[in-house]
Amino acid sequence: AEAGARVSAPQWAFALHQIQDPYAGAMQIPAEVPAGQRVLAIEIEVTNDSDQSLAFTPIDVRVRDAAGVEYRGGAAIGAEPMINPRNLNPGERSRGWVWYVLPEAAEPAEGVYVAPQPQFRVSLGG
């Protein structure tokens, strides 16, 4: 290997396509939204343009409110196609919906994807 070899961070992309607050579709889970709460839904896309796999799960896609509280998806499921957990191989992408149960008073501020730690690899020759 040559001294000074360098690698870059993986080329993973996270995009928000739509948001519904409150969610206007038919709920599958829960059958009824608990009193004092609402359902927010976001349609997202995760793209893996890197040379390594990306282990993706929608649990790692969170909504952060104005007070800094984070909410995980998975407690609710609506009618649209959901984004499923999967291993995104190099060049693959996945798109779908994630639903969140939030307090009525929560003010959503950000969508946050907590991606897995990348592996930085430099060839040592051979």
Side-chain angles (χ1 to χ4, degrees):
E2 293 182 28
R6 182 178 168 169
V7 295
S8 298
Q11 297 293 312
W12 298 333
F14 172 68
L16 173 67
H17 290 287
Q18 294 183 58
I19 183 168
Q20 291 185 20
D21 185 19
Y23 174 61
M27 292 302 303
Q28 294 180 23
I29 298 172
E32 292 185 29
V33 179
Q37 298 188 324
R38 72 181 192 275
V39 174
L40 174 141
I42 60 173
E43 183 185 19
I44 63 164
E45 182 175 4
V46 177
T47 303
N48 182 5
D49 287 327
S50 74
D51 63 353
Q52 63 180 277
S53 296
L54 168 61
F56 171 78
T57 177
I59 292 173
D60 292 333
V61 179
R62 300 165 188 181
V63 167
R64 184 178 296 147
D65 70 15
V69 177
E70 286 189 1
Y71 303 89
R72 286 185 173 195
I77 299 174
E80 289 75 20
M82 73 171 71
I83 193 164
N84 293 310
R86 62 179 288 200
N87 190 40
L88 289 173
N89 291 317
E92 292 184 335
R93 68 180 182 89
S94 187
R95 181 173 175 166
W97 289 83
V98 183
W99 296 265
Y100 304 84
V101 177
L102 308 173
E104 287 278 342
E107 297 178 33
E110 297 178 310
V112 178
Y113 173 44
V114 182
Q117 296 178 354
Q119 295 179 15
F120 292 93
R121 301 179 300 234
V122 175
S123 174
L124 299 178

